[in-house]
Amino acid sequence: MIKGDQIVPYSALYIDMQYRHLFNTLWAYLKPVDQNKYIQEIEEIWLGGLKNQKILITLCVRASTDLVLQALNWPPGSEVIITGINIPDMIQVLRLNGIIPVPVEVNADTLGCTLDQFKQFYTHKTKGIMISYVFGAKFDASEIIDWAKSKGLFIMEDEAESFVAPNAKLNPNVDFSTFSFGSIKTCSAFGGSISVIRNNEALYRKMKALQESYPKWSQKNYFKRTLKNLIPMILLNSQKINRSSRWIFINLFPNWDYKEFVVNSIRGFQKNSSDVLQTYRFRVPDPMLVMLALRMKTFDVDQFNMATQRQIVGQSILKKGGLIVPGHAVEERKFWLYPVVVPNPETTYKILNARGIDAYMGVTQLDIVESPIGSSYQYPNKTLSYFKNILYLPIHQNADLKSIQTICKEVLEVVDMLKNRNPKL
Protein backbone atom coordinates (compact mmCIF):
# COMPACT_ATOMS: atom_id res chain seq x y z
CA MET A 1 0.00 0.00 0.00
CA ILE A 2 1.38 3.38 -1.06
CA LYS A 3 1.55 6.15 1.56
CA GLY A 4 0.04 9.57 0.94
CA ASP A 5 3.34 11.42 1.21
CA GLN A 6 4.80 9.20 -1.54
CA ILE A 7 2.29 10.57 -4.05
CA VAL A 8 3.46 13.53 -6.14
CA PRO A 9 0.24 15.63 -6.25
CA TYR A 10 0.14 16.33 -9.99
CA SER A 11 -1.25 14.48 -12.99
CA ALA A 12 -0.20 14.50 -16.63
CA LEU A 13 -3.45 16.30 -17.43
CA TYR A 14 -4.15 19.78 -16.11
CA ILE A 15 -7.24 21.90 -16.71
CA ASP A 16 -6.00 25.45 -17.33
CA MET A 17 -9.12 27.10 -15.97
CA GLN A 18 -9.94 28.96 -12.74
CA TYR A 19 -13.25 28.83 -10.87
CA ARG A 20 -13.50 32.62 -11.16
CA HIS A 21 -13.64 32.28 -14.94
CA LEU A 22 -16.66 29.99 -14.62
CA PHE A 23 -18.45 32.29 -12.14
CA ASN A 24 -17.74 35.39 -14.21
CA THR A 25 -19.42 33.95 -17.31
CA LEU A 26 -22.53 32.39 -15.75
CA TRP A 27 -24.60 35.47 -16.62
CA ALA A 28 -24.18 34.68 -20.34
CA TYR A 29 -26.60 31.77 -19.91
CA LEU A 30 -29.28 34.03 -18.49
CA LYS A 31 -29.51 37.07 -20.76
CA PRO A 32 -28.84 37.96 -24.42
CA VAL A 33 -25.25 38.54 -25.49
CA ASP A 34 -24.09 41.03 -28.10
CA GLN A 35 -21.76 38.68 -29.98
CA ASN A 36 -20.27 41.50 -32.08
CA LYS A 37 -19.05 43.24 -28.93
CA TYR A 38 -17.09 40.19 -27.74
CA ILE A 39 -15.77 39.38 -31.21
CA GLN A 40 -14.50 42.96 -31.44
CA GLU A 41 -12.81 42.64 -28.02
CA ILE A 42 -10.98 39.50 -29.17
CA GLU A 43 -10.02 41.13 -32.47
CA GLU A 44 -8.50 44.13 -30.68
CA ILE A 45 -6.43 41.87 -28.41
CA TRP A 46 -5.27 39.58 -31.23
CA LEU A 47 -4.80 41.90 -34.17
CA GLY A 48 -4.09 45.31 -32.66
CA GLY A 49 -5.65 47.12 -35.60
CA LEU A 50 -3.79 45.27 -38.39
CA LYS A 51 -5.88 45.72 -41.54
CA ASN A 52 -4.56 42.77 -43.56
CA GLN A 53 -5.67 40.18 -41.01
CA LYS A 54 -9.08 38.93 -39.95
CA ILE A 55 -10.12 36.53 -37.22
CA LEU A 56 -12.88 33.97 -37.22
CA ILE A 57 -14.14 32.35 -34.03
CA THR A 58 -15.37 28.80 -34.47
CA LEU A 59 -16.44 25.82 -32.41
CA CYS A 60 -13.05 24.06 -32.67
CA VAL A 61 -9.97 23.74 -34.89
CA ARG A 62 -11.68 21.00 -36.91
CA ALA A 63 -14.56 23.41 -37.60
CA SER A 64 -12.23 26.19 -38.78
CA THR A 65 -10.25 23.78 -40.97
CA ASP A 66 -13.47 22.46 -42.48
CA LEU A 67 -14.57 26.05 -43.18
CA VAL A 68 -11.36 27.05 -44.95
CA LEU A 69 -11.39 23.90 -47.09
CA GLN A 70 -15.01 24.49 -48.10
CA ALA A 71 -14.21 28.08 -49.03
CA LEU A 72 -11.12 27.10 -51.03
CA ASN A 73 -13.15 24.43 -52.87
CA TRP A 74 -10.18 22.55 -54.33
CA PRO A 75 -10.83 19.74 -56.82
CA PRO A 76 -11.27 16.29 -55.23
CA GLY A 77 -7.92 14.47 -55.10
CA SER A 78 -5.93 17.62 -54.40
CA GLU A 79 -3.00 17.02 -52.07
CA VAL A 80 -1.87 18.86 -48.95
CA ILE A 81 1.61 18.12 -47.58
CA ILE A 82 1.36 17.93 -43.80
CA THR A 83 3.60 17.32 -40.82
CA GLY A 84 3.16 13.70 -39.82
CA ILE A 85 1.69 13.96 -36.31
CA ASN A 86 -1.90 15.07 -35.73
CA ILE A 87 -5.19 13.86 -34.32
CA PRO A 88 -7.16 11.45 -36.54
CA ASP A 89 -10.18 13.80 -36.59
CA MET A 90 -8.17 16.50 -38.39
CA ILE A 91 -7.06 14.02 -41.04
CA GLN A 92 -10.66 12.89 -41.40
CA VAL A 93 -11.76 16.51 -42.00
CA LEU A 94 -9.22 16.80 -44.82
CA ARG A 95 -10.26 13.53 -46.42
CA LEU A 96 -14.00 14.22 -46.17
CA ASN A 97 -13.36 17.48 -48.01
CA GLY A 98 -11.79 15.49 -50.86
CA ILE A 99 -8.21 16.29 -49.87
CA ILE A 100 -5.37 13.72 -49.78
CA PRO A 101 -3.08 14.43 -46.79
CA VAL A 102 0.54 13.54 -47.58
CA PRO A 103 2.54 13.19 -44.34
CA VAL A 104 6.17 14.19 -43.81
CA GLU A 105 8.37 12.53 -41.18
CA VAL A 106 8.64 14.52 -37.92
CA ASN A 107 12.05 14.80 -36.26
CA ALA A 108 12.05 13.88 -32.56
CA ASP A 109 14.48 16.65 -31.54
CA THR A 110 12.52 19.54 -33.05
CA LEU A 111 9.10 17.96 -33.69
CA GLY A 112 9.55 19.57 -37.08
CA CYS A 113 10.45 18.88 -40.68
CA THR A 114 12.88 20.22 -43.26
CA LEU A 115 12.31 22.00 -46.56
CA ASP A 116 13.82 19.06 -48.48
CA GLN A 117 11.19 16.75 -46.99
CA PHE A 118 8.37 18.99 -48.21
CA LYS A 119 9.94 19.36 -51.65
CA GLN A 120 10.12 15.57 -51.95
CA PHE A 121 6.32 15.28 -51.96
CA TYR A 122 5.51 18.34 -54.07
CA THR A 123 3.59 17.45 -57.26
CA HIS A 124 1.17 19.06 -59.69
CA LYS A 125 -1.62 17.90 -57.35
CA THR A 126 -0.27 19.84 -54.37
CA LYS A 127 -2.53 22.75 -53.42
CA GLY A 128 -1.26 23.59 -49.96
CA ILE A 129 0.72 22.67 -46.88
CA MET A 130 -0.33 22.25 -43.26
CA ILE A 131 2.26 22.67 -40.52
CA SER A 132 1.19 21.37 -37.10
CA TYR A 133 3.17 22.35 -34.02
CA VAL A 134 2.68 19.59 -31.47
CA PHE A 135 3.37 19.41 -27.72
CA GLY A 136 3.94 23.18 -27.64
CA ALA A 137 7.17 22.93 -29.67
CA LYS A 138 7.04 25.52 -32.44
CA PHE A 139 9.94 24.66 -34.73
CA ASP A 140 11.30 27.23 -37.20
CA ALA A 141 9.26 26.62 -40.35
CA SER A 142 10.10 29.93 -42.04
CA GLU A 143 12.13 28.28 -44.83
CA ILE A 144 9.27 25.89 -45.63
CA ILE A 145 6.74 28.74 -45.55
CA ASP A 146 8.83 30.93 -47.87
CA TRP A 147 9.22 28.06 -50.36
CA ALA A 148 5.48 27.29 -50.27
CA LYS A 149 4.73 30.97 -50.84
CA SER A 150 7.02 31.00 -53.89
CA LYS A 151 5.09 28.03 -55.31
CA GLY A 152 1.73 29.72 -54.80
CA LEU A 153 0.62 27.10 -52.28
CA PHE A 154 -1.96 27.84 -49.60
CA ILE A 155 -0.20 27.80 -46.21
CA MET A 156 -2.00 26.56 -43.09
CA GLU A 157 -0.67 26.44 -39.52
CA ASP A 158 -2.37 24.14 -37.04
CA GLU A 159 -1.49 25.83 -33.75
CA ALA A 160 -3.94 23.85 -31.62
CA GLU A 161 -1.12 22.96 -29.21
CA SER A 162 1.16 25.99 -29.48
CA PHE A 163 -0.75 28.97 -28.07
CA VAL A 164 1.58 31.21 -26.02
CA ALA A 165 -0.19 34.61 -25.98
CA PRO A 166 -3.14 36.25 -27.75
CA ASN A 167 -0.89 38.86 -29.35
CA ALA A 168 2.03 36.55 -30.19
CA LYS A 169 3.92 37.42 -33.36
CA LEU A 170 2.95 35.14 -36.25
CA ASN A 171 4.53 34.61 -39.66
CA PRO A 172 2.92 37.14 -42.07
CA ASN A 173 3.34 34.76 -45.03
CA VAL A 174 1.00 32.17 -43.52
CA ASP A 175 -2.49 32.34 -45.03
CA PHE A 176 -4.39 30.63 -42.22
CA SER A 177 -3.46 29.95 -38.56
CA THR A 178 -5.86 28.24 -36.18
CA PHE A 179 -5.67 27.89 -32.38
CA SER A 180 -7.59 25.67 -29.95
CA PHE A 181 -8.96 26.48 -26.51
CA GLY A 182 -10.40 23.06 -25.74
CA SER A 183 -10.67 21.46 -22.32
CA ILE A 184 -7.01 20.48 -21.81
CA LYS A 185 -5.42 23.19 -23.93
CA THR A 186 -3.42 26.17 -22.67
CA CYS A 187 -5.82 29.02 -21.76
CA SER A 188 -8.79 26.66 -21.92
CA ALA A 189 -12.28 28.00 -22.59
CA PHE A 190 -13.74 24.46 -22.58
CA GLY A 191 -13.96 24.81 -26.34
CA GLY A 192 -13.66 27.26 -29.17
CA SER A 193 -11.05 28.15 -31.76
CA ILE A 194 -9.63 31.43 -32.98
CA SER A 195 -8.34 31.50 -36.56
CA VAL A 196 -6.35 34.22 -38.30
CA ILE A 197 -6.86 34.73 -42.06
CA ARG A 198 -4.24 36.94 -43.75
CA ASN A 199 -4.17 39.00 -46.94
CA ASN A 200 -7.34 37.46 -48.33
CA GLU A 201 -10.54 39.39 -47.71
CA ALA A 202 -12.47 37.29 -50.23
CA LEU A 203 -11.57 34.03 -48.47
CA TYR A 204 -12.52 35.49 -45.08
CA ARG A 205 -15.91 36.62 -46.43
CA LYS A 206 -16.60 33.17 -47.91
CA MET A 207 -15.74 31.48 -44.61
CA LYS A 208 -17.85 33.95 -42.63
CA ALA A 209 -20.83 33.52 -44.95
CA LEU A 210 -20.60 29.73 -44.66
CA GLN A 211 -20.39 29.95 -40.89
CA GLU A 212 -23.38 32.29 -40.67
CA SER A 213 -25.49 29.67 -42.44
CA TYR A 214 -24.87 27.26 -39.52
CA PRO A 215 -27.15 26.95 -36.49
CA LYS A 216 -25.72 27.86 -33.09
CA TRP A 217 -24.35 25.06 -30.95
CA SER A 218 -26.74 24.93 -28.02
CA GLN A 219 -25.96 26.60 -24.70
CA LYS A 220 -27.20 23.38 -23.10
CA ASN A 221 -24.39 21.43 -24.80
CA TYR A 222 -21.77 23.90 -23.61
CA PHE A 223 -23.17 23.86 -20.07
CA LYS A 224 -23.11 20.04 -20.06
CA ARG A 225 -19.49 20.12 -21.23
CA THR A 226 -18.62 22.57 -18.46
CA LEU A 227 -20.20 20.30 -15.84
CA LYS A 228 -18.36 17.26 -17.26
CA ASN A 229 -15.08 19.16 -17.01
CA LEU A 230 -15.68 20.22 -13.41
CA ILE A 231 -15.00 16.76 -11.96
CA PRO A 232 -11.58 16.37 -13.67
CA MET A 233 -10.82 20.00 -12.79
CA ILE A 234 -11.50 19.34 -9.09
CA LEU A 235 -9.55 16.05 -9.09
CA LEU A 236 -6.56 17.26 -11.12
CA ASN A 237 -5.95 20.89 -10.20
CA SER A 238 -6.01 20.82 -6.40
CA GLN A 239 -2.85 19.27 -4.93
CA LYS A 240 -4.64 18.11 -1.77
CA ILE A 241 -7.56 16.56 -3.62
CA ASN A 242 -5.26 15.08 -6.27
CA ARG A 243 -3.13 13.35 -3.64
CA SER A 244 -5.99 12.10 -1.48
CA SER A 245 -8.20 10.92 -4.36
CA ARG A 246 -5.31 9.06 -6.01
CA TRP A 247 -4.46 7.41 -2.68
CA ILE A 248 -8.04 6.12 -2.57
CA PHE A 249 -8.03 4.96 -6.19
CA ILE A 250 -4.61 3.27 -5.98
CA ASN A 251 -5.14 1.53 -2.61
CA LEU A 252 -8.87 0.84 -2.48
CA PHE A 253 -9.88 0.54 -6.15
CA PRO A 254 -6.73 -0.76 -7.87
CA ASN A 255 -8.66 -2.32 -10.77
CA TRP A 256 -10.59 0.84 -11.66
CA ASP A 257 -9.03 2.85 -14.47
CA TYR A 258 -9.70 6.33 -13.11
CA LYS A 259 -7.49 7.85 -15.80
CA GLU A 260 -9.74 6.52 -18.54
CA PHE A 261 -12.69 8.08 -16.70
CA VAL A 262 -10.95 11.46 -16.59
CA VAL A 263 -9.91 11.35 -20.25
CA ASN A 264 -13.41 10.35 -21.39
CA SER A 265 -14.90 13.21 -19.36
CA ILE A 266 -12.99 15.79 -21.37
CA ARG A 267 -13.37 14.40 -24.88
CA GLY A 268 -14.67 17.13 -27.16
CA PHE A 269 -17.56 16.02 -29.37
CA GLN A 270 -20.04 13.20 -29.86
CA LYS A 271 -19.68 12.64 -33.61
CA ASN A 272 -22.65 12.67 -35.94
CA SER A 273 -22.42 9.10 -37.23
CA SER A 274 -24.35 9.80 -40.45
CA ASP A 275 -22.33 12.94 -41.39
CA VAL A 276 -19.13 13.56 -39.42
CA LEU A 277 -18.60 17.09 -40.75
CA GLN A 278 -22.02 18.14 -39.46
CA THR A 279 -20.60 17.56 -35.97
CA TYR A 280 -18.55 20.73 -36.36
CA ARG A 281 -20.86 22.86 -38.51
CA PHE A 282 -22.25 25.06 -35.77
CA ARG A 283 -21.67 28.62 -34.63
CA VAL A 284 -20.22 29.36 -31.22
CA PRO A 285 -22.80 29.64 -28.39
CA ASP A 286 -22.90 32.90 -26.44
CA PRO A 287 -21.36 31.61 -23.16
CA MET A 288 -18.41 30.08 -25.04
CA LEU A 289 -17.74 33.36 -26.82
CA VAL A 290 -17.92 35.30 -23.53
CA MET A 291 -15.52 32.77 -21.96
CA LEU A 292 -13.07 33.10 -24.88
CA ALA A 293 -13.06 36.89 -24.55
CA LEU A 294 -12.50 36.66 -20.79
CA ARG A 295 -9.64 34.18 -21.18
CA MET A 296 -7.91 36.36 -23.78
CA LYS A 297 -8.17 39.42 -21.53
CA THR A 298 -6.90 37.65 -18.42
CA PHE A 299 -4.18 35.38 -19.83
CA ASP A 300 -1.05 35.90 -17.71
CA VAL A 301 1.94 35.74 -20.07
CA ASP A 302 4.49 36.26 -17.27
CA GLN A 303 3.10 33.40 -15.21
CA PHE A 304 3.05 31.17 -18.28
CA ASN A 305 6.71 31.98 -19.03
CA MET A 306 7.79 31.33 -15.43
CA ALA A 307 6.08 27.93 -15.54
CA THR A 308 7.88 27.20 -18.80
CA GLN A 309 11.25 27.86 -17.14
CA ARG A 310 10.45 25.25 -14.48
CA GLN A 311 9.46 22.77 -17.17
CA ILE A 312 12.74 23.40 -19.02
CA VAL A 313 14.63 22.45 -15.84
CA GLY A 314 12.95 19.04 -16.00
CA GLN A 315 13.80 18.73 -19.68
CA SER A 316 17.48 19.37 -18.87
CA ILE A 317 17.49 16.66 -16.19
CA LEU A 318 15.94 14.10 -18.56
CA LYS A 319 18.30 15.01 -21.42
CA LYS A 320 21.33 14.78 -19.14
CA GLY A 321 20.13 11.31 -18.16
CA GLY A 322 20.09 10.23 -21.80
CA LEU A 323 16.36 10.45 -22.57
CA ILE A 324 14.73 12.25 -25.49
CA VAL A 325 12.16 14.92 -24.68
CA PRO A 326 10.50 15.47 -28.08
CA GLY A 327 10.96 19.08 -29.17
CA HIS A 328 13.89 19.76 -26.83
CA ALA A 329 15.97 21.40 -29.58
CA VAL A 330 13.41 24.11 -30.33
CA GLU A 331 14.45 27.64 -29.37
CA GLU A 332 12.07 29.35 -26.94
CA ARG A 333 10.51 25.96 -26.18
CA LYS A 334 7.02 25.94 -24.67
CA PHE A 335 5.08 22.92 -23.46
CA TRP A 336 1.67 21.40 -23.98
CA LEU A 337 1.67 18.06 -22.17
CA TYR A 338 5.09 16.68 -21.25
CA PRO A 339 6.21 13.78 -23.44
CA VAL A 340 9.36 11.76 -22.91
CA VAL A 341 10.60 8.81 -24.97
CA VAL A 342 11.41 5.73 -22.85
CA PRO A 343 12.59 2.25 -23.95
CA ASN A 344 9.72 0.36 -22.31
CA PRO A 345 6.77 2.72 -21.80
CA GLU A 346 4.26 0.19 -20.40
CA THR A 347 6.55 -1.15 -17.68
CA THR A 348 7.92 2.32 -16.90
CA TYR A 349 4.34 3.58 -16.60
CA LYS A 350 3.38 0.85 -14.12
CA ILE A 351 6.44 1.32 -11.91
CA LEU A 352 6.15 5.11 -11.85
CA ASN A 353 2.49 4.93 -10.89
CA ALA A 354 3.30 2.41 -8.15
CA ARG A 355 5.79 5.01 -6.85
CA GLY A 356 3.16 7.75 -6.78
CA ILE A 357 3.99 9.47 -10.08
CA ASP A 358 0.88 9.82 -12.21
CA ALA A 359 2.35 9.20 -15.67
CA TYR A 360 -0.09 8.64 -18.55
CA MET A 361 0.05 6.77 -21.84
CA GLY A 362 -3.22 7.57 -23.64
CA VAL A 363 -3.67 11.16 -22.57
CA THR A 364 -4.05 12.60 -26.09
CA GLN A 365 -5.56 11.51 -29.40
CA LEU A 366 -2.38 12.55 -31.23
CA ASP A 367 -1.07 9.89 -33.57
CA ILE A 368 1.11 9.54 -36.63
CA VAL A 369 -0.55 10.42 -39.95
CA GLU A 370 -0.58 7.35 -42.14
CA SER A 371 0.48 7.85 -45.74
CA PRO A 372 -1.98 7.35 -48.62
CA ILE A 373 -1.86 3.97 -50.32
CA GLY A 374 0.47 3.99 -53.31
CA SER A 375 4.10 3.49 -54.23
CA SER A 376 4.80 7.23 -54.52
CA TYR A 377 4.15 7.78 -50.80
CA GLN A 378 6.26 6.80 -47.80
CA TYR A 379 4.99 5.50 -44.48
CA PRO A 380 6.34 7.64 -41.57
CA ASN A 381 8.28 4.81 -39.94
CA LYS A 382 10.92 7.07 -38.36
CA THR A 383 8.22 9.09 -36.62
CA LEU A 384 6.49 5.93 -35.43
CA SER A 385 9.75 4.54 -34.01
CA TYR A 386 9.86 7.14 -31.23
CA PHE A 387 6.19 8.13 -31.05
CA LYS A 388 5.12 4.64 -29.92
CA ASN A 389 7.51 4.93 -26.94
CA ILE A 390 6.20 8.25 -25.60
CA LEU A 391 5.14 8.49 -21.97
CA TYR A 392 3.45 11.61 -20.58
CA LEU A 393 4.75 12.96 -17.28
CA PRO A 394 2.77 14.91 -14.65
CA ILE A 395 4.60 18.16 -15.38
CA HIS A 396 2.60 21.23 -16.34
CA GLN A 397 2.10 24.94 -15.58
CA ASN A 398 0.97 24.30 -12.03
CA ALA A 399 3.82 21.96 -11.02
CA ASP A 400 6.41 23.32 -8.60
CA LEU A 401 10.14 23.03 -9.28
CA LYS A 402 10.89 20.55 -6.49
CA SER A 403 8.20 18.15 -7.71
CA ILE A 404 9.42 18.46 -11.32
CA GLN A 405 12.94 17.56 -10.22
CA THR A 406 11.62 14.61 -8.18
CA ILE A 407 9.55 13.30 -11.09
CA CYS A 408 12.43 13.50 -13.58
CA LYS A 409 14.91 11.82 -11.22
CA GLU A 410 12.43 9.00 -10.56
CA VAL A 411 11.94 8.50 -14.32
CA LEU A 412 15.70 8.20 -14.87
CA GLU A 413 16.01 5.80 -11.94
CA VAL A 414 13.25 3.54 -13.28
CA VAL A 415 14.65 3.57 -16.84
CA ASP A 416 18.15 2.70 -15.55
CA MET A 417 16.71 -0.08 -13.38
CA LEU A 418 14.91 -1.60 -16.37
CA LYS A 419 18.02 -1.34 -18.54
CA ASN A 420 20.04 -3.21 -15.91
CA ARG A 421 17.44 -5.94 -15.90
CA ASN A 422 17.41 -6.12 -19.69
CA PRO A 423 20.55 -4.63 -21.31
CA LYS A 424 18.93 -4.86 -24.76
CA LEU A 425 16.51 -2.02 -23.90
Side-chain angles (χ1 to χ4, degrees), residues 295-332:
R295 294 310 323 268
M296 294 307 108
K297 287 187 286 187
T298 59
F299 183 71
D300 191 331
V301 176
D302 292 335
Q303 187 176 14
F304 176 77
N305 289 334
M306 285 190 290
T308 299
Q309 292 306 309
R310 296 194 297 271
Q311 292 169 307
I312 287 173
V313 171
Q315 177 177 270
S316 298
I317 293 170
L318 294 169
K319 278 177 59 185
K320 192 175 180 180
L323 296 183
I324 295 173
V325 179
H328 68 87
V330 169
E331 290 185 27
E332 299 184 16

